[in-house]
Amino acid sequence: MHSLRSWAARTLIGVGIAGALGTGAQALAADYDGSPQVAEFVEEMTRDYGFASEQLVSLFAEVERKQAILDAISRPAEKVKPWKEYRPIFITDKRIAQGVEFWSKNQAALEKAEAEYGVPPQFIVAIIGVETFYGGNTGSWRVMDALSTLAFDYPPRAPFFRKELREFLLLTREEQVDPITLKGSYAGAMGLPQFMPSSFRAYAVDFDGDGHINIWSNPTDAIGSVASYFKRHGWQAGGQVASRVEASGARVDEGLTQGLDPVKSVAELRALGWNSQDKLAEDLPVTAFRLEGAQGDEYWFGLPNFYTITRYNRSVMYAMAVNQLAELLVEARGNR
């Protein structure tokens, strides 16, 4: 993955810093020196997961609290862009061209992923393209700094990020890498597919069989991990993602899905004025939504595989961007 110090090496460093420390609470240094929360966390990890306190003392001595992360996560959410403004962010000639190149370079891994998990290459490539521009922007924050800052200094979501910090330490021990060197987003999402640590431990795979899972710089592992995630979240091999709908009548708005979970069937929605352009099972539950497109309102059914994409990011527009980028990647490859 990287040329990293192992946890074993860090133990020796910890002894040098902390000496023969009991729980490690008194010797936490740097930005978290004396923090009761960090001391409690160290004790938990030592008691429940078998970490040596010296290791964690050494690690937290290097961790930095990042005010910029707190500013970013506390910033009021931007006004949600309509589809006609959201789509051009992700559907660009450059993203399509680089996606075709990424596909060509990693064709063997993509074909293997489809064979094992049933996920076609274009959707894996599109996810990585939307998330990190095929690895070009995987994040520049040290994951330890990001997760620690949010776990100990951002009360609104502290329990979530404390859990992710715990998962991160476990995964670095399992993979035998030094946690202080790994980088990601300001929220702690990692690698080409931007997995949070809990997702890494649950779904990431050693797809090239080298004994380590490396989603930071190994496209093969990243590809297999995205496919694994999709399969575990219900991806149906050969299934369609979305279906364009003609919607009319006074009851159309009654069909709009609140949230993302499909609650009405194709037949129920047809009775409300929603008519798909595709032949779909009458009893199929779908997500019914309207987008403000460049040419006016668009009505769509999100099918089971659409719902799977929303498990990656809980957004209708995100899932549509992934789906349409995937379609355009197939088209671009066919025109080469």
Side-chain angles (χ1 to χ4, degrees), residues 54-121:
E54 311 92 83
Q55 293 176 316
L56 298 180
V57 168
S58 167
L59 179 58
F60 279 106
E62 299 177 60
V63 172
E64 299 175 2
R65 177 186 184 276
K66 295 294 185 182
Q67 184 60 44
I69 287 176
L70 295 172
D71 293 342
I73 204 164
S74 302
R75 196 173 296 131
E78 293 182 14
K79 179 178 178 294
V80 177
K81 294 182 183 342
W83 175 239
K84 63 184 178 183
E85 296 176 17
Y86 183 95
R87 185 182 187 276
I89 297 172
F90 298 103
I91 310 297
T92 65
D93 290 344
K94 184 177 181 181
R95 205 178 299 262
I96 293 167
Q98 291 195 12
V100 169
E101 182 179 352
F102 181 89
W103 189 336
S104 297
K105 285 182 178 178
N106 298 283
Q107 185 165 348
L110 289 161
E111 290 175 354
K112 179 185 175 188
E114 182 172 21
E116 292 192 15
Y117 297 105
V119 184

Side-chain angles (χ1 to χ4, degrees), residues 171-183:
L171 83 82
T172 57
R173 183 172 67 178
E174 290 161 358
E175 295 300 317
Q176 279 296 292
V177 296
D178 186 344
I180 208 68
T181 65
L182 298 180
K183 293 185 177 181

Side-chain angles (χ1 to χ4, degrees), residues 41 53 107 162 189 207 213 216 274 286 315:
F41 182 77
S53 59
Q107 185 165 348
R162 181 166 169 148
F207 208 48
I213 303 174
W216 287 265
W274 295 66
V286 295
S315 162

Side-chain angles (χ1 to χ4, degrees), residues 7 13 38 129 153 249 269 271 277 292 313-314:
W7 271 109
I13 297 169
V38 177
D153 286 294
L269 286 158
Q277 297 177 354
E292 185 183 340
N313 183 311
R314 295 186 63 82

